[in-house]
Amino acid sequence: MPMNSFQPHGSSQAEFRPQRSVEKNSLTRADLDTIPRYVAGKNPSDVARESGVPQAVKLASNEVPFGPLPGVVEAVAEAVAQTHRYPDPGVVALRGRLGERYGVAPDRLVSGCGSVALAEHIVRAAVLPGDEVLYSWRSFEAYPIITTSCGGTSVRVANTDDHAHDLDAMAAAVTDRTRVAIVCTPNNPTGPAVPREDLERFLDRVGPDVLVVIDEAYREFVRDPAVPDGLDVARNRPNVVVLRTMSKAWGLAGIRVGWMAADPQVAEAVRKVVTPFSVNHVAQAAALAALDAEDEMKRRVDIVVAERSRVHAAVRALRSDVPDTQANFVWLPLGDDALDFAAGCEKRGVIVRPFAGDGVRVTIGTPAENDMFLSAASELLA
Ligand SMILES: *Cc1c(COP(=O)(O)O)cnc(C)c1O
């Protein structure tokens, strides 16, 4: 059932901080007062100090815990020597390299300052004031911010009881104002991914006139063979755009590189609205070096996936309603207890990400970090 919502403060005060006052700032758009502010994860040294523990671990931002991939730091150091020069605006080397690796023609590829920036560019390229952007909820907290800032109207469809996308309800919520539909698979913050059949049925129902963005930020962690590779799906459907990022599995969250694959005309339109030089020279070099270290990336992701199974089984034993996850995090649907649980974890030196009134997302870390979380969780949920 579509919750034709425009209630960004809605359910979550921790994420969506109340505005300080209702004063209107006449110098900027009044409708921005309704947009929640993106809240990033807390800093471990602050939490350690506040909680009086020797060291805190951060399991709040879905980063991979093993440091940069081999070769990345050296490539960055070398690239820094060219800091006085503008970067390659066409990002030719990186797009060529991605094109080879993923079997996508470079004219279908656009790079951006993280895939969250590309998501915004896509909406900006497709949406006029009053047009609708459709997505499931709860999903990635950037979607409502992006939609409103581009003048669009959010249409949110509630997740299923299993915390997955309800693609049939999403298809039913498409109207003649729908310009963009976002499918987040695996879904951040709840974890389930969309099976091939469901996705194909959704795309068939939505038709060719809605731009469907498949956000695959966690693609590398997917192990369920029923989950399709969005790039394969997009090959025959010009209205499908796939978003990928180097922030998660590839370990480059701090340097900001994302990319998208789309029909060449869609890619061209998005390129027109991208801020010039948005992937800087150092980031381009880092991304190329990371791609050279793919074997090591896979080895690390395998460790995360093994730990995911262990952590998931342990939290399932504590709470039977923990959903399946294909990403590098688990979701605890704690409802009104979410903030208290997160505060309890912080007291024990573990930073997690609460969504008030809804649940808590916990990133899979190193085995030792996960043990810290599991010991906190078993105390708090006992
Ligand atoms: C992390 C994430 C992104 C990508 O973030 P960038 O660092 O901007 O590339 C995109 N979508 C979802 C759902 C995410 O969780």
Side-chain angles (χ1 to χ4, degrees), residues 113-117 140 143 184 188 215 217-218 245 247-248 256-258:
C113 181
S115 66
V116 71
F140 189 31
Y143 302 153
C184 186
N188 176 9
D215 186 344
Y218 302 95
T245 180
S247 296
K248 307 285 163 48
R256 317 300 306 129
V257 184

Side-chain angles (χ1 to χ4, degrees), residues 35-58:
I35 303 189
R37 193 152 66 83
Y38 187 95
V39 180
K42 283 202 185 179
N43 171 328
S45 50
D46 292 346
V47 169
R49 195 170 2 84
E50 288 165 15
S51 302
V53 293
Q55 244 190 343
V57 301
K58 185 182 172 200

Side-chain angles (χ1 to χ4, degrees), residues 94 112-115 245-247 252 255-259 279 283-284 287:
L94 178 57
C113 181
S115 66
T245 180
M246 307 222 40
S247 296
L252 295 183
I255 219 154
R256 317 300 306 129
V257 184
W259 55 275
V279 182
Q284 292 183 33

Side-chain angles (χ1 to χ4, degrees), residues 74-118:
E74 293 77 2
V76 164
E78 203 181 306
V80 163
Q82 292 300 311
T83 304
H84 60 301
R85 301 284 184 204
Y86 275 105
D88 168 14
V91 198
V92 172
L94 178 57
R95 281 169 53 228
R97 191 57 203 287
L98 288 167
E100 263 168 44
R101 163 63 186 82
Y102 291 97
V104 181
D107 68 338
R108 294 175 170 269
L109 294 171
V110 187
S111 56
C113 181
S115 66
V116 71
L118 284 169

